[in-house]
């Protein structure tokens, strides 16, 4: 039994991300010593039957069908936003103004203007001791956290190249049904914001450098999809009957861009190549990052998430990359889990996200990534879209 003060959580949304976040809120205090005790107080969703069923399954104590009512409740300390991007700004700003801490899924918003308003609200709230964080959960993968540590220790030297890919295939079937992720008014963008945002954040976070300009190409391969069908995971099987209604896809299916990073006081800056697609057959969740420096290189692929590949030119110039199995007690987060060699999974990143958020709130400190950090990612997304709209013309961030 914990004696820590409770942190009463209200969550909006209960689908894919809602399930991942629920698991994290339940699990974090059972494996990590936290300064506050997270409590799954209330779950919110528009469909009364749906939200009640989800609350029972995921472990929430009560339900609401209006997020405004959730924010008004005196027994809620933090609002966790797991809804489509078009709702983020309104919910987050209202929650912060009401004195609730906020965890908001990525990307922060559907536009730079919305993200700026959210950041302003977050900065004003922080002055009152109310904090916010954006959910770039891949930062909490032990192998990527170790990669960042290596860069900070200077083991790579000056960064020259960054290669980032996020490859999935769940939309490769052109008959897969239309969902909110394919509607720009709800999602803001397609592969660019859905998965490319993770690559942008990870690349900037690991290297400690910001993207300053891009040249981009966006492509939509399938312009119409069935409105009805059977959802399987994120995709599924649409109704392809002759009279079946179809909807228009208004987002990108693939995003490709080159980038330049700032270099600080001693470097001209690294160059980067980014790719995000949900049409890469055979790639299920290949979130990849490779960084080449003047002393060493590192490489990561989430499909082998417990492994970080590392090459040190001075240590083994003829041996190539070596595999680091990131499960030792000294590796980030790993010491709180299983014995060496017993790997972690996708859900652990969300648990670590809760750990870092609750630890920061308990210490009265700004969690990372802040809304300001997420705003910078939003500006890169906007620059990519702007460049693609102008025949790949170079666009400053």
């Amino acid at each position: 039994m914990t004696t820590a003060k409770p942190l009463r959580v209200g969550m909006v949304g209960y689908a894919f991300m809602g399930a991942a976040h629920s698991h994290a809120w339940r699990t974090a205090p059972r494996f990590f010593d936290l300064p506050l005790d997270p409590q799954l107080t209330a779950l919110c969703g528009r469909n009364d039957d749906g939200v009640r069923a989800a609350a029972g399954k995921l472990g929430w104590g009560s339900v609401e069908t209006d997020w405004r009512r959730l924010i008004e409740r005196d027994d809620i300390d933090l609002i966790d936003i797991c809804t489509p991007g078009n709702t983020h700004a309104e919910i987050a700003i209202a929650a912060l103004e009401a004195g609730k801490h906020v965890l908001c899924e990525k990307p922060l918003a559907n536009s730079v203007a919305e993200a700026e308003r959210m950041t302003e609200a977050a900065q004003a709230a922080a002055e009152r001791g109310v904090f916010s964080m954006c959910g770039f959960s891949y930062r909490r993968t032990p192998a990527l956290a170790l990669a960042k540590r290596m860069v900070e220790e200077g083991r790579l030297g000056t960064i020259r190249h960054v290669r980032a890919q996020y490859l999935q295939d769940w939309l490769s079937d052109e008959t897969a049904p239309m969902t909110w992720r394919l509607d720009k008014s709800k999602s803001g963008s397609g592969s660019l914001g859905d998965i490319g945002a993770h690559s942008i954040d990870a690349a900037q976070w690991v290297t400690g450098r910001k993207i300053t300009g891009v040249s981009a190409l966006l492509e939509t391969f399938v312009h119409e999809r069935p409105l009805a069908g059977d959802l399987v995971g994120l995709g599924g099987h649409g109704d392809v009957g002759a009279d079946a209604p179809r909807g228009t896809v208004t987002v990108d299916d693939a995003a490709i861009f080159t980038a330049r990073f700032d270099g600080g006081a001693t470097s001209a800056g690294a160059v980067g190549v980014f790719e995000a697609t949900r049409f890469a057959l055979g790639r299920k969740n290949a979130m990849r990052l490779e960084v080449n420096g003047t002393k060493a290189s590192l490489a990561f692929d989430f499909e082998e998430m417990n492994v970080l590949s590392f090459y040190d030119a001075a240590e083994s110039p003829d041996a190539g990359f070596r595999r680091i199995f990131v499960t030792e007690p000294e590796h980030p987060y790993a010491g709180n889990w299983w014995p060496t060699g017993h790997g972690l999974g996708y859900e652990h990143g969300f648990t670590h996200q809760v750990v870092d958020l609750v630890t920061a709130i308990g210490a009265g400190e700004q969690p990372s990534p802040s809304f300001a950090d997420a705003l910078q990612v939003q500006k890169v997304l906007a620059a990519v879209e702007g460049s693609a709209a102008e025949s790949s013309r170079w666009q400053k961030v």
Side-chain angles (χ1 to χ4, degrees), residues 147-225:
K148 178 175 177 60
R149 180 192 297 176
M150 288 178 163
V151 171
E152 290 179 335
E153 291 172 348
R155 295 182 67 177
L156 271 71
T158 301
I159 304 300
R160 298 300 192 202
H161 287 282
V162 177
R163 294 178 199 86
Q165 293 179 311
Y166 204 143
L167 313 177
Q168 298 177 335
D169 70 356
W170 59 271
L171 275 178
S172 296
D173 182 354
E174 63 185 53
T175 68
M178 186 84 179
T179 69
W180 69 266
R181 294 176 188 273
L182 304 175
D183 181 350
K184 187 175 179 63
S185 67
K186 294 183 175 67
S187 63
S189 64
S191 61
L192 174 63
D194 184 26
I195 54 180
H198 276 304
S199 292
I200 293 166
D201 179 72
Q204 294 187 134
W205 178 68
V206 168
T207 64
R209 299 299 183 188
K210 296 291 190 289
I211 294 172
T212 60
V214 299
S215 173
L217 174 68
L218 300 179
E219 183 62 51
T220 302
F221 300 117
V222 179
H223 294 274
E224 286 189 341
R225 290 186 177 272

Side-chain angles (χ1 to χ4, degrees), residues 246-262:
R246 302 181 70 85
T248 301
V249 175
T250 53
V251 300
D252 59 282
D253 286 328
I256 302 170
F257 64 95
T258 56
R260 184 175 293 280
F261 291 74
D262 66 37

Side-chain angles (χ1 to χ4, degrees), residues 296-309:
S297 295
L298 56 83
F300 169 78
D301 184 340
F302 191 79
E303 289 188 349
E304 294 187 87
M305 65 166 289
N306 292 291
V307 174
L308 180 67
S309 296

Side-chain angles (χ1 to χ4, degrees), residues 82-131:
C82 296
T83 54
N86 63 313
T87 65
H88 288 184
E90 187 177 14
I91 299 173
I93 292 171
L96 290 167
E97 290 179 346
K100 316 291 187 183
H101 305 294
V102 171
L103 171 60
C104 182
E105 258 303 323
K106 63 86 220 145
L108 187 61
N110 278 5
S111 70
V112 170
E114 287 180 341
E116 287 176 336
R117 290 195 293 112
M118 295 171 72
T119 301
E120 290 172 0
Q123 291 171 340
E127 295 177 359
R128 307 190 305 272
V130 177
F131 298 106

